[in-house]
Structures are given as structure tokens and as C-alpha cells.
Amino acid sequence: MKTFLKVADTGSFTSAADKLSMTPQLASKYVRALEEELEAQLFHRSTRRVTLSDTGAAFYERCSRLVDDYEELKSDVRQDTRTLRGELRVTAPHCLGERYLVDALADFSDQFPEIHASLELTDRYVDLLEEGMDVAIRVGTLADSTLLARQIGMASDVLCASPEYLSGAPSLKQPEDLKNHTCIVDTNFKQRNKWPFEINGQSKVIEVTSRMKINNASGARALALKGRGIVLTPSYMVADDLAEGRLVQLLGDFTGSTLAIHAIYPSTRHLTARVRRFVDFVAQRVKHLR
């Protein structure tokens, strides 16, 4: 049943076998044995891809719950949370991951030494089922999907610059004044150089000009610290810089965009004890963000 689930998730006997540390021949043998026992065809097989049959799709969800319930049952019988075990595959965006998830995953692994964890930091969209991920941490508005989401924290967009830049810059009292300033654009930001503000209770987008663009919030922060201009960036990127005076928040009365932080998991997969515990663990790390 575990092999069947992995083949369904990856769409390939070879990929499933690799993830389960077995040969493709053995993975195929296990699935054939399951099909013979059930007297049903679970997959449509071709030279390019393996896809679930209608019967296989119906079987998948209940099979997934049975396997995960069994793993959780073993932990419950042992009556010791330290026995949480198995693979934990997590993906997160680069900047949030570097600042919070790396330490969180290391501490989680120390607490549960029989968890084998992997973290993929990427700003691209990751298909959790296609790539065999257990959970994704995502920031911002979620796209419509069949995935389940739990909000674990909040952040906000912050407009800021270094004292060095501000010492020789024009006055900045309202968002329209940004046209007189040098701005640093993070091209990973969905609207790029179109920055949102709240003016007299109305949402308004200000298009800023930029001499420097970069596709990474850490890089945009570094440029701001060097006095190269004004940056709009998530609050978790600059919280320490603002607190210690390396950067100064600007137009605080006009910037109100909030960024929800979610943990995402496939709706077809029952939430295992290790995933649930990890999400709780990360939620404690990011709950203070604003």
C-alpha cells in the first residue's frame, strides 16, 4: 500500500522506487500483488506515465488514511512523542525559509531524532503531489486549489530605507512623493514596481521608478542597507534592522498590506502526526511576526 501511494504521487514506478529505496521491479511487483488481492486495476500504465484508474483514484484516499493511521497508531502505542519517525519533506520560499525554517527544522530534528527531514527552498510554485512534498509554507494570497491550508502567521509589507539614503533624499510625506525617489524593486513581488497603499481609506497603486531590480528579498534588503534607495519588503525581512536603526520605516500610515503565512498540504493525504507536529512547531516560531 505504501508503494501504491508513492507511485500514485510520483506517476512513475522508477521515481517511487527511488524514494522508497527499492528497485522499480520490486515496486511493480508490490503493486501487482495489491491489484491481484483487490481484483482491480489501480493504474493505467504507458511507456511515458502511470496514472490512476477510476478505481485507483477511489482507493487512494482511503488507502492513504489507512497507512498514515497505522503509522500514527504505532507512535500512540509507544506512548512517546520522541518515537515520531519517517520522512518529512518541506518546501518554503527562500527568504522566509532562510530566516526561520532552517533553524526550526534543525531544532525539530533535534527534538525528534528519528525524523528524516528535507527542506527545499525555492520561489517557484511546487506541486506537492507531483514532487512528493508533505507540506509547503507559503506567504501571501493563495491560489484556488484542492490543497488544504492552515494559517500559521501574519506579516506585512514594510516601506523602508537607510538613514544614509534619507539624509540626502527629497521629502517623503505621502505615497505620491515616491516619484522623486530611487526605489529598489524586488521582481519576486507580484506587482513588481506597482506598490499598493491605503490613501484616505482607498486602495491605490503607485508606480515607482527603479534603477535597481533584484529577484530576491534578501538582495533587496542588502541594497537598502547600502543606501541605494527605498524598498518595499515583507516585515520579517527587516524587523531586526528597523529595531536596531539600520533601516527606517516610511509612510507607516499608508502601508497596510498584510501577508498571511500558511502551511499547505495535499487534500488527498491524511495529515500525519509528524506533519501536524511540525506545523505546530513552525507556527510557534512565526506567530510573533507582523
Side-chain angles (χ1 to χ4, degrees):
M1 290 171 73
K2 287 181 179 179
T3 305
F4 159 76
L5 291 172
K6 191 62 69 177
V7 173
D9 286 345
T10 62
S12 164
F13 281 98
T14 301
S15 296
D18 182 60
K19 292 180 181 298
L20 294 170
S21 300
M22 64 174 66
T23 65
Q25 293 77 16
L26 185 56
S28 180
K29 178 181 178 180
Y30 282 163
V31 171
R32 281 200 308 273
L34 183 60
E35 289 178 320
E36 290 171 3
E37 183 176 351
L38 296 172
E39 298 181 355
Q41 182 179 345
L42 299 176
F43 291 108
H44 298 303
R45 297 161 172 85
S46 72
T47 56
R48 297 185 63 185
R49 188 162 176 81
V50 179
T51 58
L52 286 168
S53 66
D54 290 343
T55 301
F59 180 66
Y60 178 96
E61 186 169 353
R62 294 185 66 182
C63 178
S64 179
R65 289 200 301 268
L66 282 170
V67 170
D68 289 337
D69 283 346
Y70 175 65
E71 294 297 326
E72 192 165 349
L73 176 62
K74 288 196 295 184
S75 292
D76 289 344
V77 169
R78 294 185 182 103
Q79 296 180 343
D80 185 351
T81 58
R82 288 177 299 176
T83 59
L84 284 178
R85 64 187 66 198
E87 289 186 65
L88 177 65
R89 299 166 299 276
V90 183
T91 182
H94 271 289
C95 294
L96 181 69
E98 289 165 0
R99 294 184 73 83
Y100 295 98
L101 270 297
V102 171
D103 285 345
L105 195 63
D107 293 343
F108 187 78
S109 296
D110 289 342
Q111 188 171 338
F112 303 106
E114 295 188 57
I115 293 286
H116 298 279
S118 62
L119 174 62
E120 179 177 339
L121 298 181
T122 177
D123 293 325
R124 68 179 177 85
Y125 177 82
V126 174
D127 186 318
L128 272 65
L129 286 175
E130 181 74 21
E131 301 187 37
M133 293 290 175
D134 293 301
V135 59
I137 307 299
R138 292 183 179 158
V139 182
T141 304
L142 298 178
D144 292 335
S145 74
T146 59
L147 300 176
L148 299 179
R150 172 187 163 188
Q151 184 172 322
I152 59 174
M154 289 292 296
S156 59
D157 285 327
V158 174
L159 193 75
C160 56
S162 70
E164 176 189 359
Y165 170 81
L166 294 172
S167 66
S171 173
L172 179 60
K173 296 182 178 179
Q174 55 188 1
E176 287 85 352
D177 293 336
L178 285 167
K179 67 180 182 292
N180 300 319
H181 285 263
T182 300
C183 296
I184 301 162
V185 170
D186 178 358
T187 57
N188 268 343
F189 182 60
K190 187 176 181 180
Q191 295 175 280
R192 299 202 172 200
N193 67 326
K194 296 179 179 179
W195 292 357
F197 295 92
E198 294 287 328
I199 303 174
N200 297 324
Q202 300 293 319
S203 296
K204 186 172 181 179
V205 172
I206 302 296
E207 188 167 347
V208 302
T209 57
S210 173
R211 293 174 51 222
M212 304 194 76
K213 299 181 177 68
I214 191 166
N215 69 336
N216 178 273
S218 292
R221 166 185 171 269
L223 289 173
L225 287 169
K226 288 179 177 293
R228 299 305 175 88
I230 297 174
V231 67
L232 183 67
T233 195
S235 54
Y236 55 78
M237 291 301 305
V238 294
D240 293 343
D241 300 317
L242 294 172
E244 296 173 20
R246 292 186 293 269
L247 293 174
V248 178
Q249 185 171 355
L250 307 169
L251 300 180
D253 293 336
F254 297 95
T255 52
S257 298
T258 56
L259 304 168
I261 303 172
H262 287 91
I264 313 292
Y265 5 81
S267 59
T268 53
R269 185 179 298 160
H270 179 60
L271 194 60
T272 63
R274 60 183 176 273
V275 172
R276 184 171 59 249
R277 185 62 64 88
F278 177 71
V279 171
D280 289 342
F281 195 87
V282 172
Q284 288 297 312
R285 294 296 181 95
V286 302
K287 69 178 183 179
H288 66 284
L289 299 179
R290 287 296 180 267

